[in-house]
């Protein structure tokens, strides 16, 4: 006896595949109500645009980083899946890195724009669908960022199997600086530092004004409790603000691999060694699931 095809089944298949309602109904009839088989029917018909596998959570995944060969373009991308088994699979991680490469080269406006871009001999959307079928799990591009520079290069670091990803932009004046092993090691180490310490901003001047105002209001209130003259209270508050900068701003933080120098001082040391002026410009840090 044939399985009754209900409106709810058609709706579920439509949500999973973005396919037309009548085609979904036909596929379900042919598959005798089996949703997974109906997906294959739609794929063979060429009408399944994507398989969302509705109802399955995507709480695992990876953050991938990409830097172009010349170091001038970079991207971070967060790709989710259903299980840690897939999230740590080298092929899944490799696919995420390829997606980050597409982002770096094209700087799409959003996820939909990314999906429409060419990849391999098809589109990102089709490649994503293929990976969904290959692994048998739902996958989603959660977010990404693309960066480029004319007078510098990028460093990157991926921590804990893709749970944290960082790209850092540096500026310098000599083109050969970016190709030197000393710079590449320095750039990698600064990105590692960002992953470990999670600073607020790269430079003091980049700390949001509202953050400074909020911190100062707290420090002034604390200083007022001392009962000391206002002039001294102001110095106390300013002193605590300075401590905040040293703890929160990348270039002023103690370098995680050598606390005897700050990241800014390390940049100066490498600059002197390479005969250039290297500056930390900004960074992006993705922590999976944040």
């Amino acid at each position: 006896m044939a399985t009754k095809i209900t409106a709810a089944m058609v709706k579920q298949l439509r949500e999973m595949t973005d396919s037309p309602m009548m085609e979904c109904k036909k596929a379900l009839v042919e598959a005798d109500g089996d949703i997974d088989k109906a997906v294959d029917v739609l794929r063979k018909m060429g009408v399944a645009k994507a398989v969302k596998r509705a109802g399955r959570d995507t709480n695992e995944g990876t953050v991938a980083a990409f830097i172009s060969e010349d170091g001038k373009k970079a991207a971070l991308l967060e790709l989710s899946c259903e299980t840690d088994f897939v999230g740590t699979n080298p092929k899944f991680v490799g696919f995420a890195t390829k997606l980050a490469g597409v982002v770096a080269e094209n700087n799409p406006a959003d996820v939909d724009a990314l999906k429409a871009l060419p990849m391999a001999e098809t589109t990102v959307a089709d490649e994503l669908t293929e990976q969904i079928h290959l692994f048998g799990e739902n996958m989603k591009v959660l977010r990404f960022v693309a960066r480029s520079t004319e007078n510098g290069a990028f460093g990157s670091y991926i921590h804990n199997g893709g749970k944290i990803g960082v790209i850092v932009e540096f500026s310098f004046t000599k083109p050969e600086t970016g190709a030197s092993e000393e710079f590449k090691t320095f750039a990698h180490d600064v990105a590692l530092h960002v992953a470990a310490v999670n600073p607020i901003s790269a430079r003091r001047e980049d700390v949001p004004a509202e953050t400074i105002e909020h911190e100062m209001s707290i420090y002034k209130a604390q200083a007022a409790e001392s009962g000391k003259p206002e002039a001294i209270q102001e110095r106390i508050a300013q002193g605590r603000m300075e401590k905040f900068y040293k703890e929160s701003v990348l270039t002023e933080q103690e370098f995680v691999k050598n606390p005897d120098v700050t990241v800014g001082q390390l940049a100066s040391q490498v600059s002197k060694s390479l005969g250039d002026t290297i500056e930390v410009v900004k960074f992006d840090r993705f922590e999976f699931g944040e």
Side-chain angles (χ1 to χ4, degrees), residues 35-47:
I35 291 288
D36 289 334
K37 288 181 180 178
V39 168
D40 287 338
V41 171
L42 288 171
R43 289 188 71 206
K44 290 173 183 175
M45 292 165 61
V47 297

Side-chain angles (χ1 to χ4, degrees), residues 15-268:
E15 289 175 349
M16 288 173 66
T17 64
D18 286 338
S19 300
M21 181 177 68
M22 291 306 297
E23 302 297 338
C24 288
K25 188 171 183 180
K26 289 177 186 176
L28 283 164
V29 170
E30 185 173 332
D32 196 25
D34 187 311
I35 291 288
D36 289 334
K37 288 181 180 178
V39 168
D40 287 338
V41 171
L42 288 171
R43 289 188 71 206
K44 290 173 183 175
M45 292 165 61
V47 297
K49 299 176 183 176
V51 181
K52 298 178 182 176
R53 296 185 179 268
R56 294 189 183 179
D57 292 331
T58 53
N59 298 322
E60 299 292 340
T62 193
V63 175
F66 175 88
I67 297 179
S68 60
E69 283 191 20
D70 62 4
K72 300 293 185 182
K73 295 179 181 180
L76 279 179
L77 179 138
E78 185 175 2
L79 181 67
S80 69
C81 59
E82 295 174 32
T83 65
D84 184 58
F85 178 78
V86 169
T88 56
N89 185 292
K91 290 184 179 179
F92 173 81
V93 174
F95 177 66
T97 302
K98 289 178 182 178
L99 284 178
V102 175
V103 169
E105 293 298 332
N106 296 276
N107 192 16
D110 51 32
V111 173
D112 286 338
L114 170 62
K115 287 182 176 180
L117 289 170
M119 185 177 184
E121 296 180 356
T122 177
T123 65
V124 169
D126 288 339
E127 285 293 311
L128 185 61
T129 298
E130 191 62 33
Q131 294 298 313
I132 289 170
H133 286 294
L134 177 65
F135 287 103
E137 291 193 7
N138 190 12
M139 297 177 189
K140 296 177 183 177
V141 176
L142 300 180
R143 56 176 169 160
F144 57 78
V145 62
R147 302 292 184 200
S148 62
T149 178
E150 292 293 329
N151 303 306
F154 291 88
S156 68
Y157 179 73
I158 297 295
H159 177 69
N160 194 22
K163 296 308 178 188
I164 299 174
V166 174
I167 53 175
V168 184
E169 180 183 344
F170 302 87
S171 67
F172 44 77
T173 57
K174 296 164 58 177
E176 58 267 31
T177 292
S180 72
E181 289 304 315
E182 186 172 0
F183 169 77
K184 290 179 180 179
T185 298
F186 162 71
H188 172 271
D189 285 348
V190 173
L192 179 153
H193 175 101
V194 172
V197 182
N198 194 14
I200 286 178
S201 65
R203 302 174 293 192
R204 183 178 294 207
E205 57 265 35
D206 299 325
V207 178
E210 58 268 24
T211 300
I212 297 173
E213 184 179 347
H214 174 73
E215 292 298 319
M216 275 300 292
S217 67
I218 293 174
Y219 301 147
K220 286 181 178 180
Q222 291 173 345
E225 292 293 320
S226 69
K228 294 179 180 179
E230 285 190 15
I232 295 178
Q233 290 181 28
E234 182 66 24
R235 287 200 295 273
I236 291 172
Q238 287 294 345
R240 290 175 178 170
M241 195 69 212
E242 283 297 315
K243 183 180 179 183
F244 169 81
Y245 286 132
K246 293 184 188 316
E247 292 176 346
S248 306
V249 174
L250 173 58
T251 51
E252 301 186 35
Q253 289 175 332
E254 295 177 349
F255 179 44
V256 71
K257 294 178 73 172
N258 180 9
D260 291 336
V261 296
T262 65
V263 172
Q265 289 169 341
L266 180 63
S268 296

